[in-house]
Amino acid sequence: MDKIPILKIGHFLMVAIQVDLYDRLALNLEADLVQAVSKTGARGVLIDISAVSIVDSFMGRILGNIAGMSKILDADTVIVGMQPAVAITLVELGLPLKGVQTALNVEKGMELLQQKIKITEEEEPEE
Amino acid sequence: MIVLSSDNMRIAKELDMVVFRNRLKEFAVKIGMGLVNQTKLITAASELSRNMLRYAGEGTVLIEIVNGQRQNGVRVTFSDKGPGIPDIDQAMKDGFSTGKSLGLGLPGARRLVNEFDIKSTVGKGTTITITKWKNG
């Protein structure tokens, strides 16, 4: 069984999808990621889809689920590296990934997540 | 329409969908279809092959390179012997789904291709044919 590795970098988890996803693999990734967020207490999840050549409605739903489930566990999700052709197709398909944050690349995605924790840390009263 | 080359495949499990998508890409590349149109075609085909697997359990796909409208295109025919669709008009509406999906499969796939034809008989099966022109 294929498995997509989940890397921990500081407060964040990172996943780079490098293979063609079939439905079972995507569902396993969803379960593994949510488990990992809970286990590590990660504050952010970064998913790199730059090597993914198609995102259909099923894959889009999984990405939305991951973002929604992680949010409940207090982690933000950012999808990075979407190919322009994939973005065009998603909008035409009628699935603009509402509620999912995106960034152009891994670097920008990391910056976005870092800003988010900084803001919440400032909001929390100092002990 | 003239058929220049073709390939027939059976879709009976999820991994067959991956093999089918790769084969379809080869056909699209062969006629020099651009990346955006390739992505639209393969995404539409992915939706339709999943529908076939989910509702009919299995089916066949026929990939063809066709010549028409003064250009080449890729035509894909999805045939299954599943339960069929009782109300095609309703199934083609956005947001309608009997399964657990978003109900984007059929109407979404139609938006991504140039030609879309659906024939379904309850209890007998469904045949869907889509065509994407090279510069469509």
Side-chain angles (χ1 to χ4, degrees):
Chain A
M1 193 81 194
D2 298 321
K3 216 171 169 68
I4 296 169
I6 299 170
L7 310 174
K8 187 172 182 291
I9 305 170
H11 297 292
F12 310 129
L13 295 177
M14 191 180 150
V15 169
I17 303 175
Q18 299 283 350
V19 291
D20 268 318
L21 281 178
Y22 48 91
D23 297 4
R24 174 49 48 191
L25 187 59
L27 284 168
N28 286 349
L29 175 67
E30 176 187 293
D32 289 350
L33 254 180
V34 177
Q35 289 268 3
V37 169
S38 160
K39 213 167 113 190
T40 61
R43 301 295 307 277
V45 176
L46 195 100
I47 304 174
D48 178 27
I49 59 164
S50 55
V52 174
S53 57
I54 74 147
V55 174
D56 61 16
S57 63
F58 187 86
M59 258 293 290
R61 185 158 60 104
I62 297 287
L63 293 175
N65 285 354
I66 290 172
M69 292 169 185
S70 303
K71 190 75 217 165
I72 296 171
L73 298 174
D74 197 25
D76 289 296
T77 302
V78 182
I79 313 277
V80 302
M82 187 183 293
Q83 292 177 16
V86 172
I88 293 167
T89 302
L90 271 179
V91 171
E92 221 157 289
L93 182 66
L95 192 86
L97 289 183
K98 282 193 189 105
V100 175
Q101 294 180 78
T102 50
L104 204 56
N105 52 39
V106 173
E107 203 177 354
K108 291 210 161 74
M110 273 292 184
E111 279 169 21
L112 190 66
L113 286 175
Q114 255 144 9
Q115 272 166 15
K116 292 215 165 252
I117 8 183
K118 225 158 109 191
I119 293 165
T120 38
E121 273 168 1
E122 277 165 12
E123 281 169 0
E124 284 163 11
E126 282 178 32
E127 288 175 29
Chain B
M1 220 171 331
I2 309 158
V3 177
L4 301 173
S5 61
S6 70
D7 193 8
N8 219 326
M9 296 174 78
R10 185 163 164 264
I11 308 264
K13 55 183 192 299
E14 270 185 25
L15 280 174
D16 295 339
M17 281 175 60
V18 176
V19 179
F20 162 56
R21 290 194 306 227
N22 291 340
R23 192 82 182 106
L24 190 55
K25 190 176 175 77
E26 283 171 28
F27 273 74
V29 168
K30 198 150 82 181
I31 63 162
M33 190 183 279
L35 188 60
V36 173
N37 280 347
Q38 271 180 42
T39 307
K40 288 180 182 178
L41 170 67
I42 298 165
T43 305
S46 183
E47 299 286 344
L48 297 175
S49 57
R50 180 178 298 102
N51 275 358
M52 204 161 72
L53 206 54
R54 185 171 295 164
Y55 296 109
E58 62 170 332
T60 57
V61 285
L62 172 68
I63 313 172
E64 294 168 300
I65 292 178
V66 291
N67 184 274
Q69 295 189 352
R70 293 181 191 164
Q71 60 174 321
N72 286 344
V74 177
R75 181 167 72 185
V76 191
T77 307
F78 302 82
S79 312
D80 69 58
K81 294 187 171 65
I85 304 166
D87 188 340
I88 289 178
D89 287 342
Q90 193 183 28
M92 292 305 298
K93 272 187 202 140
D94 268 320
F96 178 80
S97 171
T98 53
K100 281 188 210 156
S101 65
L102 295 164
L104 288 168
L106 286 181
R110 178 166 65 177
R111 279 194 290 273
L112 295 174
V113 296
N114 301 114
E115 283 167 35
F116 187 101
D117 179 66
I118 178 165
K119 286 187 183 70
S120 190
T121 311
V122 173
K124 293 233 161 126
T126 304
T127 302
I128 299 176
T129 305
I130 58 173
T131 308
K132 186 86 187 162
W133 299 112
K134 183 184 162 187
N135 299 310

